[in-house]
Amino acid sequence: MRHFILIYLQMLRFQRVLPSCAFYGDRLTNITIPNTVTSIGSTAFRDNLLTTVNLPNSLVSLGAQGFYNNLINSLTIPNGLSSIPAEAFAFNKLT
């Protein structure tokens, strides 16, 4: 499974949209989202173990519960992201 995730992450360099449920429950601990990504679907990173998220400056759309139930304690939100949907970062360690 881990090998599949690494291949998928490499393919992301060429994608603009990260689909819903893309990494739902995959137990990821860290991720780098490329600057080519403009949209992250609903529950794309739900139920993982992420601690830090740096959203790319290219991001303009984030789906509901995109990063729900992780361990995120640090977050950078790009200027182009005009709204944050319900529960996008719920059940994390953000203060």
Side-chain angles (χ1 to χ4, degrees), residues 18-76:
L18 186 59
S20 296
C21 301
F23 297 102
Y24 190 124
D26 284 337
R27 304 187 57 81
L28 299 176
T29 56
N30 61 58
I31 187 167
T32 300
I33 303 169
N35 280 324
T36 56
V37 174
T38 59
S39 178
I40 296 175
S42 299
T43 67
F45 292 99
R46 182 181 168 149
D47 295 339
N48 278 284
L49 303 170
L50 299 172
T51 56
T52 302
V53 174
N54 292 312
L55 299 174
N57 289 330
S58 57
L59 189 67
V60 295
S61 173
L62 175 60
Q65 297 186 357
F67 291 90
Y68 184 98
N69 193 33
N70 277 274
L71 302 172
I72 299 170
N73 58 26
S74 176
L75 175 66
T76 302

Side-chain angles (χ1 to χ4, degrees), residues 5-19 23 31-38 56 58:
I5 291 171
L6 290 174
I7 291 170
Y8 189 73
L9 288 173
Q10 290 172 353
M11 290 171 45
L12 276 180
R13 293 180 297 163
F14 307 106
Q15 289 187 323
R16 297 181 65 76
V17 176
L18 186 59
F23 297 102
I31 187 167
T32 300
I33 303 169
N35 280 324
T36 56
V37 174
T38 59
S58 57

